[in-house]
Amino acid sequence: MTRKEFRDLADPEDAHAAIANLDLSPAPETVPLRESRGRVLAERIDAEMDVPGFDRASMDGYAVRARDTFGAGEASPEELELVGEVHAGSEPDVVVGDGEAAEISTGAVMPDGADAVVIVERTEERDGTLVVRDAVAPGDSVMLAGADVAAGARALGPGTYLTPREIGLLSALGVDEVPVRGKPTVGIISTGDELVRPGDPLNSDAGQIYDVNSYTVATGVEEAGGEVVLYPHAGDDYEEMERILVEAAEECDLVLSSGSTSASAVDVIYRVIESRGELLLHGVAVKPGKPMLVGTLGGENGDGEDGDGENGDGEDGDGENGDGEDGDGENGDGEDEAPGSASAYVGLPGYPVSALTIFQTFVAPAIRRAAGLPEPRTATVTGTMAARERYGEGRLRLMPVGLLEDEAGETLVYPVDKGSGATTSLVEADGVVEVHPDTEYLAAGESVEVRLFSPDVRAPTLLGVGEDDPALSRLLDRLDAPRYLPVGSREGLRRLRGGVPDVAVVAGPTDRDVESVDLGGWTREWGLVVPAGNPADVSGLSDLVAGDLRFVNRDANAGLRASLDAAFEELAADRGTTRRDLTAAVDGYELTTKATESPARAVLRGKADAGLGLRATAETLGMAFVPVGEESVRVRANPDRTAKESVEAFSTLLADTVVFDGLAGYESD
Amino acid sequence: MTRKEFRDLADPEDAHAAIANLDLSPAPETVPLRESRGRVLAERIDAEMDVPGFDRASMDGYAVRARDTFGAGEASPEELELVGEVHAGSEPDVVVGDGEAAEISTGAVMPDGADAVVIVERTEERDGTLVVRDAVAPGDSVMLAGADVAAGARALGPGTYLTPREIGLLSALGVDEVPVRGKPTVGIISTGDELVRPGDPLNSDAGQIYDVNSYTVATGVEEAGGEVVLYPHAGDDYEEMERILVEAAEECDLVLSSGSTSASAVDVIYRVIESRGELLLHGVAVKPGKPMLVGTLGGENGDGEDGDGENGDGEDGDGENGDGEDGDGENGDGEDEAPGSASAYVGLPGYPVSALTIFQTFVAPAIRRAAGLPEPRTATVTGTMAARERYGEGRLRLMPVGLLEDEAGETLVYPVDKGSGATTSLVEADGVVEVHPDTEYLAAGESVEVRLFSPDVRAPTLLGVGEDDPALSRLLDRLDAPRYLPVGSREGLRRLRGGVPDVAVVAGPTDRDVESVDLGGWTREWGLVVPAGNPADVSGLSDLVAGDLRFVNRDANAGLRASLDAAFEELAADRGTTRRDLTAAVDGYELTTKATESPARAVLRGKADAGLGLRATAETLGMAFVPVGEESVRVRANPDRTAKESVEAFSTLLADTVVFDGLAGYESD
């Protein structure tokens, strides 16, 4: 296995410049007006016709010669002879002469002879005669042809973003096809032998995982105004990777590769780019930009296998570009790629949060520019740090952060995902704060600007941390946009003491005293979850200590684990021994899992004979349950946040016992 | 022609409540994950699997038993026997025993026996032996199965808005189909005999106009999260309208009618709703909500022709509902309409700005609620009134306003479209300010909240007013998002004096002194535009006064008109007569048109023999030109706005003479 080390990391500004210099701009295209919302005009549109195209009655009433009404009033009505009617949408079959009038509806063509409309409310019809009680001037209640838009006038300029109102104006002009900026076509290549597309079967034993980055980046591209072509998954094989990258370069304005965190997959891409394109940057001096690649792919620079025969290998080059027809057939966008033109290429890091961070920071702005779209107004928010954050790494850091609101509705910012590469960080992090290399720390209360992961990202209304619990899940379902991090009771309390979360949900005994306001809670029955029918005839903790059962435990942050340890403590006291001695005898005591259902699921899969868990979980999964005890679950609020609407809503919900219905072993306050 | 008067206007709050009570909610649906961006989860999604599904190396290095490395360091390396390799995406074929190690890549499955990874940088391979220079603890550089997401844990709650990051989390969980809130299906019926869909041929002589509201409202519905069904255009015929409305009610959650301003079309709809549904509101006490209708259509309440036989006419009712099959076939959405359930109905005003105002104020929020979408964060902006605005109408007014920015970048607000019903107001107005009935005036500098016509609407960077000019159109094309209102030089100066616009473009002689800063300008040659070859042998203004030519003039606001009048003044002085006497002799002097090209176009259409215009226009349209004079066009800036970036950009552009290239009769400063 050869491994390539990253050297000479580029300056982030140089990375921005390198990407800005890449040509991602597609040719303009024409779309039906009806489908033009969100597109950007490629050229100015002048009116080709008058709107309205005729002198138009703007009120219901009677078309008259204005001079025939001079002097008319309530006290001195004029009488005119009714000579016909004109309806909207039909050609007048009447001419209005001296002393005459024609009934007319709003929007109808003014008949020849008439120069004004008397509104219906100021008239009366009497035996074929019209009584007019108002004098009108020429042009009254008439919109002249071209008065709205005149033929030849500039209607909308190039670069106009089309919203319903612009579409309305273009409708009025009879425009049914609009010249718009093309959407840059972005090819996404997922790499790494271990990746499987969501929906396909997964073999965990073979180390397969679902491909997270392809859909994340694809939808990010669409959000930025690009059109996506997803290429079939490429493994770490050089030939296959080369074939797919070259095909993508022919069909797309930009190719992104993303997915694998393994050095070998990255290395294969690196070699393909070096041989079939031009590598402009390899690694950027920004955390997490080290694995980032920027280059061009295909085109004349990249024809030769060895990269040195720029024009010497014309046949190869032609052959490749001739393949563009294939591309056309597949995605219909190939036609704007000039023969021999290179596609831009950016390689994203493998960890999902890193991939999205690098994409949003460096790539999305380039896609928007190519599409002619403005920076979204909601792309950034300003907030203050919820707690002090040390840094001082000497490298620009794009720090993933979560948002929440304080009691006054001000935005608070806290760091998440300190390099764990966890997928869950994707939904915990709302955006990124740029921390400059010479920053030693960010103080609590310091103002920071957060670039959101998406213009549609919103701060959650409530930030909760703590125990994972099925009743809690139901409660959360009833709150508007909460965020809950199931970090366990112990870690939850630690975070509550740090002052960031709004609430912590704490189960079982705790050894830590944290100032908080109790919002309410419930009790839940816990014990050992065993297979249906309890085949091993487990009766309690003593059976675990006896040592012939395989057990699965919870991690040290779990309230359930604290209750279990307390029960072992009691049992040890009964037996005149230590808890440590007892638990050392339990086969699997150190085998810890992260969520409430995890031990029970391990038992279900035959990996163990008994798991730490809840009666409710056993019932849900159709398993048997050996009760050991009850533990209290408390919702504890941050004292600075009790007036928050969401905290109050949570408190109110706790009083509604309906969420506990059907949860075995649960009792509300 | 019967006309229905609007009586008993409803309170706006009652209109909101009536619409809120309508049931627009469609059934949830399932969409592919890849297409789920912007959708809203219909239910909670719990993890059905552990992520990762196996204990996973999180660094490149060597899988070892941690205790074999205890005590290792730079000075005291440990040696381990290399027993194999494990790659990402493949099942380990090796077991790590005491004193052994296996090479492992990031993301690969930890082989049995190993409990930690030593990173590659802290090792060295020497003849099949691994030299370890660092001690590791169990779990180091390993991500345990379920450590990211544990099976059974709550992943995303109901009501979650799906952006790329949530799609990433769902990818990790292998979810490829997502249960989402359905999009309410909204049927749009365009009414009025005079309306023609954009792209179809238009007969102006018959009073036809293009249908503006259908596409405006349709794209507004899509923006609010609804799905649109556009129904074929319905005229004012009762039978046809009834058939289309009933069909739409069967297929849609909400039916909107919109288009005609004529009382007869509105009246036909009114009668259909009364007979086939239930009319809840007819007219709302808000300007412009008088013609608004709210009701239900179809379903059991609306079976009887007379509206009183709620259950007495079962056969008819069944027959109608059975028709639902037709609906299914056509748009695939009919299945969520329960048999006999009524569709909601709202009738919008006919004028485009009014239709969009009522739609955005009353209807869009209901569509968003039904779709489960939050109010867009950019739906409103706060600004200050740029000038005093009188009101005092005693009725709630939804006042269309335009936005601009002052030198400091603060948002200024000014009213547009005082009831003209003009289509151009659609793109001049950025949103609506609610002015309460007891408001007598809005003071200049008063803070107001503007509900934007679309969350994507932005204030223009520059607000210009004044003369319509072809060189100016080119200049505007080079500015970023300007707004220019071609109101003519005189009106432009008037507005500049009012203090609202950033610049006024003024042509010809002016009789008004307005404080301003001259940014530069150009001269243009003007005269009479005549048919190609000048068949009437026109040589100048004298020919017009002679009276045997049909002339087309410009309106009194045009700089061209001011130049013409000045030339007549001179001619009158030469002849010892008055200008008025001369112009009275010109056939068509009072025939005024709105834009620079309008008179020439009238000549082209054979409506006149000569038109007031520019040499440049004559050349563009391939016509002949009789020169009369030159006039100066000046760009005059508002003294309070000269430091605005866009004003400075305009000033810079004026120095670049390239925009005048090829414009006959133009000369730059």
Side-chain angles (χ1 to χ4, degrees):
Chain A
M1 222 186 283
T2 61
R3 291 203 173 84
K4 193 164 272 286
E5 295 294 309
F6 298 115
R7 290 191 187 87
D8 301 328
L9 297 179
D11 188 85
E13 288 312 308
D14 293 340
H16 277 295
I19 294 176
N21 284 334
L22 297 171
D23 176 23
L24 313 186
S25 293
E29 55 182 330
T30 299
V31 296
L33 178 65
R34 176 69 184 86
E35 293 157 24
S36 65
R37 185 173 69 91
R39 302 303 294 267
V40 174
L41 278 190
E43 51 193 73
R44 187 210 308 166
I45 294 187
D46 292 339
E48 292 190 1
M49 49 177 273
D50 281 335
V51 179
F54 52 92
D55 296 343
R56 182 174 184 269
S58 55
M59 299 292 280
D60 286 341
Y62 295 85
V64 298
R65 297 180 174 228
R67 61 176 170 268
D68 288 346
T69 69
F70 293 170
E74 280 301 329
S76 55
E78 289 285 337
E79 294 198 356
L80 299 176
E81 186 188 351
L82 267 175
V83 294
E85 307 184 344
V86 195
H87 297 277
S90 57
E91 194 162 353
D93 55 1
V94 62
V95 172
V96 175
D98 287 333
E100 292 177 346
E103 186 171 353
I104 194 162
S105 54
T106 306
V109 181
M110 288 293 288
D112 283 347
D115 59 9
V117 170
V118 188
I119 62 172
V120 65
E121 290 81 359
R122 309 295 297 150
T123 64
E124 190 183 331
E125 268 190 49
R126 202 185 287 157
D127 308 327
T129 297
L130 181 72
V131 181
V132 175
R133 304 190 188 282
D134 208 3
V136 289
D140 277 4
S141 300
V142 176
M143 186 185 232
L144 291 176
D148 194 348
V149 191
R154 184 179 189 272
L156 293 171
T160 302
Y161 184 85
L162 299 175
T163 74
R165 61 195 189 137
E166 284 84 12
I167 292 170
L169 177 62
L170 294 171
S171 295
L173 298 175
V175 171
D176 65 335
E177 290 202 318
V178 212
V180 294
R181 299 278 297 256
K183 293 184 172 196
T185 305
V186 181
I188 294 177
I189 295 177
S190 135
T191 67
D193 285 331
E194 75 278 24
L195 298 181
V196 172
R197 196 149 284 181
D200 288 347
L202 190 77
N203 181 357
S204 286
D205 294 336
Q208 292 183 338
I209 56 172
Y210 283 116
D211 176 8
V212 173
N213 289 349
S214 286
Y215 286 5
T216 309
V217 173
T219 46
V221 166
E222 287 166 351
E223 200 172 68
E227 198 134 72
V228 171
V229 183
L230 276 179
Y231 286 89
H233 168 259
D236 295 353
D237 175 70
Y238 185 92
E239 305 286 317
E240 192 195 355
M241 185 75 82
E242 181 181 41
R243 190 184 55 73
I244 294 179
L245 280 171
V246 169
E247 183 187 330
E250 279 163 0
E251 295 173 358
C252 301
D253 301 302
L254 169 66
V255 177
L256 298 176
S257 74
S258 145
S260 187
T261 48
S262 81
S264 60
V266 174
D267 189 53
V268 165
I269 294 181
Y270 174 89
R271 288 190 288 132
V272 174
I273 301 295
E274 281 214 318
S275 107
R276 302 303 296 262
E278 192 180 354
L279 190 66
L280 302 173
L281 279 183
H282 187 180
V284 179
V286 48
K287 187 178 176 186
K290 222 168 77 167
M292 184 178 172
L293 299 175
V294 179
T296 60
L297 191 57
E300 301 199 349
N301 282 331
D303 285 349
E305 281 285 306
D306 51 7
D308 61 7
E310 288 204 6
N311 294 309
D313 207 346
E315 214 186 330
D316 246 358
D318 290 348
E320 278 165 28
N321 298 324
D323 253 20
E325 269 187 80
D326 268 352
D328 288 357
E330 281 170 45
N331 65 29
D333 277 289
E335 60 275 25
D336 52 52
E337 281 292 296
S341 80
S343 160
Y345 167 80
V346 178
L348 301 171
Y351 283 130
V353 173
S354 302
L356 194 54
T357 298
I358 293 296
F359 173 78
Q360 291 293 16
T361 306
F362 292 94
V363 184
I367 295 173
R368 276 195 295 270
R369 271 196 307 273
L373 293 169
E375 185 84 350
R377 269 182 304 173
T378 55
T380 57
V381 296
T382 302
T384 57
M385 293 297 293
R388 179 187 160 104
E389 167 73 359
R390 275 184 304 128
Y391 182 56
E393 280 194 41
R395 181 150 65 106
L396 181 70
R397 180 174 166 208
L398 300 171
M399 178 176 75
V401 296
L403 303 179
L404 76 156
E405 286 184 354
D406 67 12
E407 278 190 352
E410 299 301 316
T411 301
L412 298 176
V413 178
Y414 66 98
V416 298
D417 182 29
K418 303 182 180 178
S420 74
T423 314
T424 39
S425 303
L426 263 185
V427 286
E428 189 186 350
D430 294 305
V432 163
V433 170
E434 281 202 12
V435 187
H436 288 278
D438 52 356
T439 305
E440 279 181 26
Y441 65 89
L442 295 167
E446 186 167 341
S447 177
V448 289
E449 190 171 75
V450 181
R451 166 169 298 272
L452 298 179
F453 276 136
S454 154
D456 292 322
V457 161
R458 293 180 185 224
T461 56
L462 178 90
L463 178 64
V465 293
E467 193 74 3
D468 172 30
D469 179 275
L472 175 65
S473 289
R474 294 183 181 181
L475 283 164
L476 292 169
D477 288 354
R478 294 165 159 245
L479 288 169
D480 177 36
R483 169 173 293 156
Y484 188 77
L485 310 174
V487 294
S489 294
R490 198 166 71 168
E491 172 68 9
L493 265 186
R494 196 186 67 78
R495 295 198 187 185
L496 186 64
R497 196 174 53 176
V500 175
D502 295 320
V503 297
V505 179
V506 181
T510 57
D511 50 6
R512 202 187 269 268
D513 198 29
V514 175
E515 198 195 339
S516 63
V517 177
D518 189 292
L519 297 184
W522 57 90
T523 58
R524 58 186 193 177
E525 196 176 2
W526 69 274
L528 303 176
V529 182
V530 295
N534 192 0
D537 207 18
V538 180
S539 66
L541 296 188
S542 305
D543 295 323
L544 297 184
V545 179
D548 44 1
L549 292 175
R550 291 168 306 156
F551 178 64
V552 179
N553 207 345
R554 285 293 312 283
D555 63 280
N557 280 315
L560 272 176
R561 168 68 173 267
S563 290
L564 176 71
D565 287 348
F568 271 124
E569 198 78 58
E570 254 178 61
L571 187 62
D574 284 353
R575 297 193 181 179
T577 178
T578 65
R579 179 176 64 129
R580 186 168 296 264
D581 279 339
L582 287 185
T583 57
V586 176
D587 176 12
Y589 179 80
E590 299 296 345
L591 196 60
T592 62
T593 55
K594 204 190 148 203
T596 301
E597 288 188 4
S598 304
R601 284 175 179 259
V603 172
L604 260 191
R605 284 198 308 272
K607 300 268 183 188
D609 305 304
L612 176 60
L614 302 175
R615 179 186 287 280
T617 299
E619 291 224 346
T620 303
L621 298 176
M623 304 173 72
F625 179 72
V626 180
V628 177
E630 284 204 336
E631 67 177 10
S632 171
V633 183
R634 306 307 301 174
V635 180
R636 297 170 64 168
N638 184 330
D640 294 340
R641 309 280 170 71
T642 51
K644 266 186 81 164
E645 196 180 319
S646 61
V647 175
E648 287 176 346
F650 202 170
S651 178
T652 305
L653 269 182
L654 281 168
D656 182 0
T657 60
V658 72
V659 295
F660 303 104
D661 281 359
L663 278 177
Y666 271 71
E667 212 159 307
S668 63
D669 261 5
Chain B
M1 223 187 285
T2 61
R3 289 204 175 84
K4 190 163 274 284
E5 294 295 312
F6 298 115
R7 288 192 188 86
D8 301 327
L9 296 179
D11 187 86
E13 288 312 308
D14 293 341
H16 277 294
I19 293 175
N21 285 335
L22 296 172
D23 176 22
L24 314 186
S25 293
E29 56 182 327
T30 299
V31 297
L33 178 64
R34 176 69 185 86
E35 293 157 24
S36 64
R37 185 173 69 90
R39 303 302 294 268
V40 175
L41 278 189
E43 51 192 74
R44 189 210 309 166
I45 293 188
D46 292 339
E48 291 191 0
M49 50 176 273
D50 281 335
V51 179
F54 52 92
D55 296 344
R56 180 174 187 270
S58 56
M59 298 292 280
D60 287 341
Y62 295 86
V64 298
R65 296 181 175 226
R67 60 176 170 266
D68 288 346
T69 70
F70 292 170
E74 281 300 330
S76 55
E78 290 283 337
E79 295 198 353
L80 299 176
E81 185 189 352
L82 269 174
V83 294
E85 308 184 341
V86 194
H87 296 277
S90 58
E91 195 163 351
D93 55 2
V94 62
V95 173
V96 175
D98 287 334
E100 294 177 344
E103 188 173 350
I104 195 162
S105 54
T106 306
V109 181
M110 287 294 286
D112 281 347
D115 60 7
V117 169
V118 188
I119 62 173
V120 66
E121 289 81 0
R122 310 295 297 150
T123 64
E124 189 184 331
E125 268 190 50
R126 203 184 286 159
D127 307 327
T129 298
L130 181 72
V131 180
V132 175
R133 304 189 188 284
D134 208 4
V136 291
D140 276 4
S141 299
V142 176
M143 186 184 232
L144 292 176
D148 194 351
V149 191
R154 183 180 190 271
L156 294 171
T160 302
Y161 184 84
L162 299 176
T163 73
R165 62 195 188 136
E166 284 84 11
I167 290 169
L169 177 62
L170 294 171
S171 295
L173 298 175
V175 171
D176 65 334
E177 290 202 317
V178 215
V180 294
R181 300 280 296 257
K183 294 184 173 197
T185 306
V186 181
I188 295 176
I189 296 176
S190 135
T191 66
D193 284 332
E194 75 279 25
L195 298 182
V196 172
R197 194 149 285 182
D200 288 347
L202 190 77
N203 181 357
S204 287
D205 295 337
Q208 292 183 339
I209 56 172
Y210 283 116
D211 176 7
V212 173
N213 289 348
S214 285
Y215 285 5
T216 310
V217 173
T219 46
V221 166
E222 287 166 351
E223 200 171 67
E227 197 135 73
V228 170
V229 183
L230 277 178
Y231 286 89
H233 169 260
D236 296 354
D237 176 70
Y238 185 92
E239 305 287 317
E240 191 194 356
M241 185 75 82
E242 181 181 42
R243 189 184 56 74
I244 293 178
L245 280 170
V246 168
E247 182 187 330
E250 279 163 359
E251 294 173 358
C252 301
D253 301 303
L254 168 65
V255 177
L256 298 175
S257 73
S258 146
S260 186
T261 48
S262 82
S264 60
V266 174
D267 188 53
V268 165
I269 293 181
Y270 174 89
R271 287 190 288 132
V272 174
I273 302 294
E274 282 214 317
S275 107
R276 303 300 297 260
E278 192 182 353
L279 190 66
L280 301 172
L281 280 183
H282 188 181
V284 178
V286 49
K287 188 180 175 183
K290 221 167 79 169
M292 184 177 171
L293 299 174
V294 178
T296 60
L297 191 56
E300 302 199 346
N301 282 331
D303 285 347
E305 281 284 305
D306 48 10
D308 61 7
E310 287 205 7
N311 294 309
D313 208 347
E315 213 186 333
D316 248 358
D318 290 348
E320 277 166 29
N321 298 323
D323 255 18
E325 268 186 82
D326 268 353
D328 289 356
E330 278 171 46
N331 64 28
D333 275 289
E335 61 274 24
D336 54 50
E337 283 290 296
S341 81
S343 161
Y345 168 81
V346 178
L348 301 171
Y351 283 131
V353 173
S354 302
L356 195 54
T357 297
I358 293 298
F359 173 78
Q360 291 293 16
T361 306
F362 292 95
V363 184
I367 294 174
R368 277 194 294 270
R369 271 196 306 274
L373 292 169
E375 185 85 350
R377 270 182 303 173
T378 54
T380 57
V381 296
T382 302
T384 56
M385 293 297 293
R388 179 185 160 106
E389 168 72 1
R390 275 183 304 128
Y391 182 56
E393 281 196 38
R395 180 150 64 105
L396 180 70
R397 178 175 167 208
L398 300 171
M399 177 176 76
V401 296
L403 303 179
L404 78 155
E405 286 184 355
D406 66 13
E407 278 191 350
E410 300 300 316
T411 301
L412 298 175
V413 178
Y414 65 97
V416 299
D417 182 28
K418 303 181 180 179
S420 74
T423 314
T424 39
S425 303
L426 261 186
V427 286
E428 189 185 349
D430 294 304
V432 163
V433 170
E434 281 203 12
V435 187
H436 288 278
D438 51 357
T439 305
E440 278 182 25
Y441 65 91
L442 296 167
E446 186 167 342
S447 176
V448 289
E449 189 171 78
V450 180
R451 166 170 298 273
L452 298 179
F453 276 135
S454 155
D456 292 321
V457 161
R458 293 179 186 225
T461 56
L462 179 91
L463 179 63
V465 295
E467 192 75 4
D468 172 28
D469 178 274
L472 175 66
S473 288
R474 294 182 181 183
L475 284 164
L476 292 169
D477 287 353
R478 293 164 160 247
L479 289 169
D480 178 36
R483 170 172 292 156
Y484 188 78
L485 311 174
V487 294
S489 295
R490 196 163 76 166
E491 172 68 9
L493 266 185
R494 196 187 68 78
R495 294 197 188 187
L496 185 65
R497 195 171 58 172
V500 175
D502 295 319
V503 296
V505 179
V506 181
T510 56
D511 50 6
R512 200 188 269 270
D513 198 30
V514 175
E515 198 196 338
S516 62
V517 177
D518 188 292
L519 297 184
W522 56 90
T523 57
R524 57 185 194 178
E525 196 176 1
W526 68 274
L528 302 176
V529 182
V530 295
N534 193 0
D537 207 17
V538 180
S539 65
L541 297 188
S542 306
D543 296 323
L544 296 184
V545 180
D548 46 1
L549 292 175
R550 292 167 307 157
F551 177 64
V552 179
N553 207 343
R554 285 294 312 283
D555 62 281
N557 281 314
L560 273 176
R561 168 67 174 269
S563 290
L564 176 72
D565 286 349
F568 272 125
E569 197 79 55
E570 257 179 59
L571 188 64
D574 285 353
R575 298 193 182 178
T577 177
T578 65
R579 178 175 65 125
R580 185 168 299 264
D581 279 340
L582 288 185
T583 59
V586 176
D587 176 12
Y589 180 81
E590 300 295 346
L591 196 59
T592 63
T593 56
K594 203 192 147 201
T596 300
E597 289 189 2
S598 303
R601 285 174 179 259
V603 173
L604 260 191
R605 284 198 307 273
K607 301 269 182 185
D609 305 305
L612 176 60
L614 301 175
R615 179 184 286 280
T617 299
E619 290 227 344
T620 302
L621 298 176
M623 303 173 72
F625 179 71
V626 180
V628 177
E630 284 204 337
E631 68 178 8
S632 171
V633 183
R634 306 307 303 174
V635 179
R636 298 171 64 166
N638 183 328
D640 294 340
R641 308 281 171 70
T642 52
K644 265 187 82 164
E645 195 180 319
S646 61
V647 174
E648 287 176 347
F650 201 170
S651 179
T652 306
L653 269 183
L654 281 168
D656 181 1
T657 59
V658 72
V659 295
F660 303 105
D661 281 0
L663 279 177
Y666 270 70
E667 213 160 308
S668 63
D669 260 5

